[in-house]
Amino acid sequence: MINLAQKDVKHTLGKFLVTAMGVGMLLGIVLIMIGVYRGMIVDAQVLLNDIKADLWVVQEDTLGPFAEASRIHDDFKDTLRVIDGIKSAEALTFQNIQLPQKPQPIRVVAMGFDPLGTIDPINPERIVQGHGLEREHYEIVVTDTTGFKLGDRIPLLRHSYKVVGVTHGTVSSGGDPLVYISLKDAQELQFSYSNNRIRNDRARGFKNSEVLMVNTVVAKVKPGYDVNAVAKEIKRFKYKSVYTAAEQKWILTKNLVKKASKQIGMFTGILIIVSTIIIALIIYTMTLEKMKEIAIMKLIGIPNSMIIKMIAQETLLLGFLAFIFANIFSHLIYGKFPKRVVLEIPDAWMLFIVVIIASILASLVGIKKVINADPSSAIGG
Amino acid sequence: MAEQAIKVENLVKHFGKDESLVRVIEGADFQVDKGELVALIAPSGAGKTTLLMMIGCVEEPTSGTIWLGDEKVYDNAWLTKETRKIRREKIGFIFQAHYLIPFLNVIENVTLVPQTNGVSKAEAEKDAMALLDYFDIADKAHSMSSQLSGGQNQRVAIARALANKPQIILADEPTAALDLTRSVSVVKMLKKIAIDQDVAIIMVTHDEAMLPLCDRILKIEDKKVVSQAVPENTKMI
């Protein structure tokens, strides 16, 4: 039996492929959108996974430094260290800073930590050049996307910082490049003001007491102790909010990304609807172009089922090819996005199912046209 | 004695109803036998194509009776739901233009209906090659219609109409787009087919020059179908 769809596609192969490519690019954007969301989730967890803290202690009644402003005294780490079950505790700061880079400054998140402390937040596997921080002042570890190289000197406020290490893949919870400086330098950068401002504050009787503040204190729990029980103890007696690693992960991946995921979900949904409409319009146009042939086929006795099969097969083939092109297109461009885009195979399969369903729906438009085609229209020129 | 291919009794076709009622055919009675080439003539709008479509089981008559071969297919209603199957098995169609399926090559166009009827691909292709050979276009079997001349395409279209071994061929102005020489050639070919393949052919035509090549004329006059012999004074070409 002659396969009409195969013959028709072969006859207009170039046009068919270009059409599939166009739809594929649209579907590729759907994959990229999903990848952006996945990237946000991954980015949100990079820092969390690198620090490997069991507990995050933050300002009372706040969700912590990733969600809102959180200030606690840096000596709270000493208080934590004596609590039963705590193995180690260190203070951390997070702040947005601009690194002078050409042609324009680059915005990064700087994490401050004690290089001589017991918790090193730099994942050694991410260091591609140099080493981590070893001194308490004027050293910086940058991520490779900042464009700085090992040994470069970066002027910040009143000092010059030497790049002692370059990492790969370190980002803040928001996906911005992450750099590391010592806690003391971070506090100075965060709370030091210009000479004029200091003189003015002194004249007003203000004292700069914020210099000893940090954004969070992280702690590791001794083996054998229940993390939740230790957290409960800290919460009860020390008037701080405490989050376990699991809770912090929830805050980062669910709470903070919730609106963004809805936003992207809406976009993805709209794009899928638009793709379905476009496939339907393409199939409708392709069917319209063949109406004379369809009328002739009906007149000479070709059953509807055979003609409908042709339309359905062409639609499914168009959807399948568009899906292939979508994957090729998205894999070609995803690396060029400034923030992380994560393309996952399950997402691609989900899109495949959606495309097949969309194609079946779209083919109904062409099939309706076939069923209604009048065979007598073939006669009379 | 000639075998009946088409028999029509008291065939009526109206369009619309009440005030918008249009009476197209009012009681057609005629018979066409196998081996006959019959011309169907009438002024434009008189109902030639409608009559052709009723015989071809495409347009449902208002009333009457139609036999195709010895099978009664219409008796004030279609006697089968599968009128398309009747077309596929008993009737061949030839149009003004060749109307070949552009995405099929010559042999695929010719074998499409037989294969749909359940004939194996090998057998359908063997029969198709014989037909293409008959029309002297066997060497074009694997060409696309866009690669053929107008005349070659028309011959392929006729081969397609014959491929399902029909009892009847309905030709809708097959010479309308051709010059006189080619028209004569096509009608002579149809006459030869009618005899060689033992089929009845009804050919709608406006061209009186083609009438002497036909065996008989069916003329629609005052909504009636009248059977006439070919006038003796018609000039033979």
Side-chain angles (χ1 to χ4, degrees), chain A residues 202-352:
Chain A
R202 279 179 189 158
R204 288 163 178 255
F206 295 163
K207 283 176 75 179
N208 186 4
S209 59
E210 287 180 325
V211 74
L212 298 176
M213 302 297 275
V214 294
N215 302 116
T216 180
V217 173
V218 292
K220 289 189 179 179
V221 174
K222 286 179 187 167
Y225 281 81
D226 178 19
V227 173
N228 291 309
V230 177
K232 202 173 171 186
E233 281 297 299
I234 300 169
K235 221 179 288 186
R236 196 168 160 195
F237 296 110
K238 303 301 175 190
Y239 310 110
K240 298 282 185 284
S241 288
V242 186
Y243 300 103
T244 62
E247 287 168 335
Q248 189 65 269
K249 186 177 172 182
W250 183 87
I251 290 169
L252 281 166
T253 58
K254 302 285 184 218
N255 190 308
L256 295 181
V257 186
K258 197 175 173 185
K259 276 197 174 174
S261 72
K262 275 188 182 171
Q263 184 104 336
I264 289 171
M266 286 279 289
F267 247 118
T268 309
I270 291 166
L271 277 173
I272 286 171
I273 291 169
V274 169
S275 305
T276 309
I277 292 169
I278 287 176
I279 294 174
L281 280 174
I282 289 168
I283 293 301
Y284 183 71
T285 311
M286 281 166 62
T287 310
L288 278 187
E289 285 171 357
K290 284 196 282 281
M291 279 316 286
K292 191 80 186 177
E293 287 80 22
I294 288 169
I296 292 163
M297 284 194 275
K298 289 179 87 164
L299 185 68
I300 64 178
I302 303 302
N304 268 349
S305 59
M306 220 169 135
I307 307 169
I308 287 169
K309 192 173 155 193
M310 172 179 78
I311 302 293
Q313 283 179 336
E314 284 185 18
T315 316
L316 286 173
L317 183 64
L318 182 73
F320 180 73
L321 284 177
F323 170 74
I324 301 281
F325 282 123
N327 276 281
I328 294 171
F329 175 67
S330 57
H331 277 84
L332 283 176
I333 65 161
Y334 84 102
K336 302 192 182 343
F337 281 76
K339 285 195 180 180
R340 194 190 302 264
V341 177
V342 178
L343 301 175
E344 290 186 348
I345 291 171
D347 292 334
W349 283 119
M350 198 185 69
L351 181 71
F352 179 71

Side-chain angles (χ1 to χ4, degrees), chain B residues 40-49 173 204-206 219-222:
Chain B
L40 177 61
I41 60 169
S44 294
K48 299 187 295 290
T49 302
E173 300 189 52
V204 171
T205 184
H206 280 292
K219 190 173 184 182
I220 302 176
E221 270 182 350
D222 299 328

Side-chain angles (χ1 to χ4, degrees), chain B residues 167-231:
Chain B
Q167 299 170 9
I168 300 146
I169 288 183
L170 302 175
D172 183 43
E173 300 189 52
T175 60
L178 305 176
D179 60 36
L180 186 62
T181 315
R182 285 177 193 274
S183 297
V184 170
S185 155
V186 167
V187 178
K188 279 182 175 173
M189 191 189 293
L190 290 177
K191 178 62 194 164
K192 189 170 182 294
I193 289 164
I195 296 164
D196 290 354
Q197 313 280 334
D198 199 27
V199 296
I201 301 177
I202 297 182
M203 178 182 72
V204 171
T205 184
H206 280 292
D207 190 349
E208 289 191 8
M210 298 302 117
L211 299 182
L213 299 168
C214 301
D215 297 313
R216 209 148 46 92
I217 297 168
L218 290 172
K219 190 173 184 182
I220 302 176
E221 270 182 350
D222 299 328
K223 302 176 177 49
K224 301 271 185 189
V225 177
V226 182
S227 178
Q228 295 179 345
V230 177

Side-chain angles (χ1 to χ4, degrees), chain A residues 1-5 7-9 11-12 290 292-294 296-307 310 314 370-371 373-381, chain B residues 49 52-53 56 58-59 84-85 87-88 91 93-96 98-105 107-109 111-113 115-118 121 144 146 160 164 172:
Chain A
M1 183 61 74
I2 295 170
N3 185 315
L4 295 174
K7 299 290 175 187
D8 187 31
V9 169
H11 185 64
T12 54
K290 284 196 282 281
K292 191 80 186 177
E293 287 80 22
I294 288 169
I296 292 163
M297 284 194 275
K298 289 179 87 164
L299 185 68
I300 64 178
I302 303 302
N304 268 349
S305 59
M306 220 169 135
I307 307 169
M310 172 179 78
E314 284 185 18
V370 168
I371 290 168
D374 178 10
S376 61
S377 65
I379 290 197
Chain B
T49 302
L52 211 63
M53 289 293 95
V58 177
E59 187 76 52
R84 205 178 292 196
K85 189 164 180 273
R87 292 205 292 276
R88 201 164 63 226
I91 305 169
F93 289 91
I94 301 170
F95 311 102
Q96 279 183 26
H98 58 79
Y99 291 153
L100 296 173
I101 310 298
F103 51 82
L104 300 180
N105 66 22
I107 198 155
E108 286 162 349
N109 262 291
T111 60
L112 180 62
V113 172
Q115 285 196 62
T116 309
N117 282 338
K121 188 185 175 197
M144 303 303 284
S146 58
R160 176 178 67 180
N164 56 338
D172 183 43

Side-chain angles (χ1 to χ4, degrees), chain A residues 169-193:
Chain A
T170 45
V171 287
S172 72
S173 59
D176 288 321
L178 185 70
V179 300
Y180 302 89
I181 51 178
S182 74
L183 184 66
K184 287 179 179 172
D185 289 344
Q187 286 172 322
E188 188 186 346
L189 278 174
Q190 198 165 6
F191 302 114
S192 288
Y193 302 115

